Amino acid sequence: SAVWERQDWQQSASSLQLFAYPEDRRTPWASVSLFLASSAATMAAAALWQQVRRSNSLEELQEKLEQFTKRLAACSATWPLQVHEFHRLFLASLLRAGEQPARILSDAALLLFGGTLLERLYGARFLLLLVGTTTILSNAMALTVHHYYVGSQHEGLSSTSGGLVALGAFCALRHPRWAIWPGIPIPVSWLMAPVLVADLSLARAYLRDLSSYRLATGTAGTTDTRDSIAGFHRSMALAACMAVEERKRSECRPLPEDVLSWRADLEREADQDVLAPEATLWADVSGVFLGFCAAGLSTLLLV
């Protein structure tokens, strides 16, 4: 009777596709390539920041900081986006900087587990098309919606996860009971749980920052674009000064007087800055919407 019960359980699990997994075990080159590309871009940015930290004078710090911000701008998108800058809608999600470690791990799990599952089911071209298209569209939608609420150009959209969120939403709708990996009894839909928790925190912070921004500017969109960009550069410069000072203290070396003086000037100017809230929330919301649309479309075309 125990054998029959086990067979019945296995048949029920098979009919429900509980912890199912594709028979194809080929290497997920597309998922691995996307992961390595994002890791390379992030490590390159970290290496450039380390060069900024090693500055020994104000002149050297300003020169290296300018180089860092120029390269960082290549992986961000701002409103309005020019025709020749549409590649930035993808690069904005390739670089992952300034995020919480928990969010980085959850996004990596979505790509490596969810991406591998879809690649083994539908092929590498499908995965690249899904991630690439939803990344570009989610970032474009995020810029549009954020511009509607803020009304002015802000510091830029970068380190977004819209394409990965769309991938996770697709998996959660099309294959919710499938396993994340062969032999691991964890449904792939559970990969979206930490993302949803992070987005709730993002939504609360966005509403708070948007309220403060509108109170400071009177109405949405009254802040000059140049003031917003200058405020972002001041924040970056302050972070660079603090990084240099932290390194000097760790090495028990005297702090550069010119760097300390520049930091004091930046702090006085920063007290009057009004920075717009970050638009990463809208990239995730757009990603969920696009994932739902892709799942519905695939149901019609692939089934």
Side-chain angles (χ1 to χ4, degrees):
S1 59
V3 176
W4 286 106
E5 290 179 358
R6 181 178 180 182
Q7 291 179 349
D8 290 341
W9 181 87
Q10 291 177 345
Q11 291 177 356
S12 300
S14 178
S15 62
L16 293 174
Q17 294 184 334
L18 184 62
F19 305 136
Y21 200 82
E23 296 181 359
D24 189 355
R25 295 294 193 273
R26 58 186 170 184
T27 302
W29 294 113
S31 302
V32 173
S33 297
L34 289 173
F35 177 78
L36 292 178
S38 179
S39 300
T42 303
M43 288 189 293
L48 289 174
W49 184 251
Q50 288 300 318
Q51 293 181 6
V52 174
R53 291 183 72 249
R54 296 191 187 99
S55 302
N56 295 313
S57 65
L58 178 60
E59 183 180 359
E60 182 183 3
L61 174 61
Q62 291 176 337
E63 180 181 356
K64 291 183 177 180
L65 183 61
E66 182 179 2
Q67 296 175 357
F68 176 79
T69 53
K70 284 182 178 180
R71 286 166 173 77
L72 192 66
C75 293
S76 63
T78 56
W79 181 278
L81 196 67
Q82 304 300 323
V83 176
H84 63 279
E85 295 178 335
F86 271 91
H87 63 282
R88 293 188 177 185
L89 292 174
F90 182 79
L91 295 179
S93 295
L94 198 62
L95 174 65
R96 313 308 300 270
E99 292 185 303
Q100 295 295 328
R103 182 58 193 266
I104 295 177
L105 290 176
S106 62
D107 287 348
L110 279 175
L111 178 58
L112 294 178
F113 292 120
T116 298
L117 174 65
L118 295 185
E119 186 175 352
R120 287 174 172 174
L121 274 174
Y122 304 111
R125 291 183 180 179
F126 177 87
L127 176 67
L128 293 175
L129 180 63
L130 175 66
V131 174
T133 303
T134 55
T135 295
I136 293 173
L137 291 178
S138 63
N139 286 335
M141 294 167 66
L143 281 177
T144 304
V145 176
H146 186 67
H147 176 72
Y148 173 79
Y149 283 105
V150 175
S152 65
Q153 186 178 10
H154 55 99
E155 62 271 19
L157 181 70
S158 62
S159 299
T160 59
S161 307
L164 297 180
V165 172
L167 186 152
F170 183 95
C171 290
L173 287 177
R174 290 283 285 137
H175 311 285
R177 301 185 185 93
W178 287 52
I180 62 173
W181 199 258
I184 300 180
I186 299 178
V188 70
S189 57
W190 286 16
L191 294 175
M192 286 294 291
V195 176
L196 294 177
V197 173
D199 282 341
L200 290 176
S201 178
L202 273 178
R204 183 169 59 252
Y206 184 88
L207 293 176
R208 182 187 66 246
D209 294 342
L210 181 62
S211 177
S212 301
Y213 175 80
R214 288 182 169 177
L215 287 175
T217 59
T219 57
T222 58
T223 300
D224 187 8
T225 295
R226 292 169 298 179
D227 292 340
S228 181
I229 297 176
F232 168 71
H233 285 304
R234 270 192 289 271
S235 300
M236 185 70 69
L238 273 172
C241 291
M242 295 174 64
V244 171
E245 293 175 17
E246 180 183 358
R247 184 182 66 86
K248 292 293 185 180
R249 289 193 180 95
S250 65
E251 297 175 352
C252 298
R253 298 174 60 184
L255 303 178
E257 293 295 335
D258 50 0
V259 174
L260 292 175
S261 178
W262 191 40
R263 176 185 175 181
D265 295 338
L266 290 171
E267 288 178 340
R268 285 192 295 269
E269 296 173 358
D271 291 337
Q272 302 177 356
D273 288 337
V274 180
L275 297 179
E278 296 183 0
T280 52
L281 169 68
W282 295 116
D284 286 358
V285 173
S286 301
V288 172
F289 172 76
L290 293 172
F292 285 0
C293 293
L297 185 61
S298 69
T299 303
L300 297 176
L301 297 179
L302 300 178
V303 177

